[in-house]
Amino acid sequence: MTAPLPDSKQKYDLNFARWVYENVNGGDKLGLCMQCGACSGSCPIGVQMDYGPRKLFMMIRAGMKEEVLSANTQYNCTSCYRCVVRCPRGVPVTYILQDLALKSAELGYAPKTTENVNFAKSFWWSAKTFGRTDERLVTALYYMSFGLKEGYSKAMDNLKIALGFIKKGRMHIGMPHMVKDRKQLKAILAKAREIEKRQ
Ligand code: SF4
Ligand code: SF4
């Protein structure tokens, strides 16, 4: 198949790669990328991304600022580090995506959908309440953020999977697990907020 010709009307910001290099954590390593695609090929979330990391990195080099900053790629990355482990050139893919998400949001390119925000809120609620992630409660809270009807429907769609997990002992039933020292958890969270304010 012949690759489509570049769109001559497309505006490219040729300073964008330099901006990423200087402002995004790990961006200075982008020059090492040899476009092998090992990162995108091993990413479990790749199908949920507008562009896989390999393509996104090429777009950065090409100066496609608008497309890169408004992509959902950086927000959908789960920081599993699979790409980092497999990258033959030692490109810190995860760090780049994490910081790109932060920088894109700061520049006003927040995700168009609220799904990621709602999931992050559910995750954060569990983390600060229990000091752990309770998959059941995080999932339930996230589903309910779509409204009662849709949340219920999503829960029913995944009920079989949840029961399978319980049967295999991969999901516990009963009260959520909690860190032993909740006082220390509160102190850690207070410190994190203080550092965040300073930044
Ligand atoms: S695995 Fe590394 S070198 Fe290969 S495309 Fe991804 S970032 Fe580039
Ligand atoms: S860290 Fe992000 S980009 Fe890398 S494999 Fe995992 S989800 Fe994909």
Side-chain angles (χ1 to χ4, degrees):
M1 196 169 67
T2 316
L5 288 170
D7 179 0
S8 58
K9 293 195 189 103
Q10 168 83 38
K11 283 215 169 25
Y12 296 107
D13 182 343
L14 300 180
N15 293 318
F16 184 54
R18 167 67 52 188
W19 181 85
V20 172
Y21 182 95
E22 287 172 357
N23 294 284
V24 174
N25 184 18
D28 57 333
K29 301 283 186 307
L30 268 181
L32 295 172
C33 174
M34 61 180 188
Q35 289 288 295
C36 67
C39 51
S40 298
S42 49
C43 177
I45 310 297
V47 289
Q48 301 292 336
M49 291 173 168
D50 287 335
Y51 319 103
R54 181 204 65 77
K55 193 165 183 182
L56 196 81
F57 294 166
M58 180 45 80
M59 290 164 69
I60 290 174
R61 285 178 178 171
M64 298 171 75
K65 181 182 169 188
E66 293 300 316
E67 291 84 346
V68 170
L69 293 180
S70 52
N72 69 6
T73 305
Q74 50 271 37
Y75 298 104
N76 283 357
C77 169
T78 59
S79 303
C80 71
Y81 287 88
R82 230 167 142 173
C83 49
V84 174
V85 171
R86 295 192 174 170
C87 175
R89 303 302 300 269
V91 178
V93 183
T94 314
Y95 294 151
I96 296 172
L97 294 183
Q98 280 172 350
D99 206 30
L100 201 56
L102 190 69
K103 297 284 176 347
S104 326
E106 280 173 1
L107 290 168
Y109 292 83
K112 291 171 196 70
T113 65
T114 52
E115 288 178 23
N116 292 26
V117 176
N118 290 349
F119 184 81
K121 279 184 183 166
S122 309
F123 182 93
W124 178 235
W125 171 80
S126 178
K128 75 175 182 197
T129 309
F130 309 116
R132 291 170 188 255
T133 326
D134 188 299
E135 295 107 329
R136 305 161 307 168
L137 298 180
V138 171
T139 309
L141 209 60
Y142 172 62
Y143 284 170
M144 286 308 144
S145 71
F146 291 89
L148 208 58
K149 198 174 163 206
E150 199 179 336
Y152 177 77
S153 158
K154 281 182 186 297
M156 286 302 108
D157 287 347
N158 288 293
L159 187 63
K160 207 173 156 197
I161 299 171
L163 292 176
F165 275 141
I166 293 170
K167 204 171 156 193
K168 298 273 179 199
R170 302 293 299 270
M171 190 186 278
H172 79 283
I173 39 177
M175 295 299 283
H177 293 307
M178 207 176 280
V179 285
K180 283 186 190 144
D181 195 341
R182 293 193 69 204
K183 220 169 139 187
Q184 203 175 33
L185 172 68
K186 280 189 180 165
I188 292 168
L189 293 173
K191 188 74 188 168
R193 282 194 199 99
E194 186 196 312
I195 293 170
E196 198 179 22
K197 265 190 197 159
R198 260 191 270 141
Q199 288 172 344

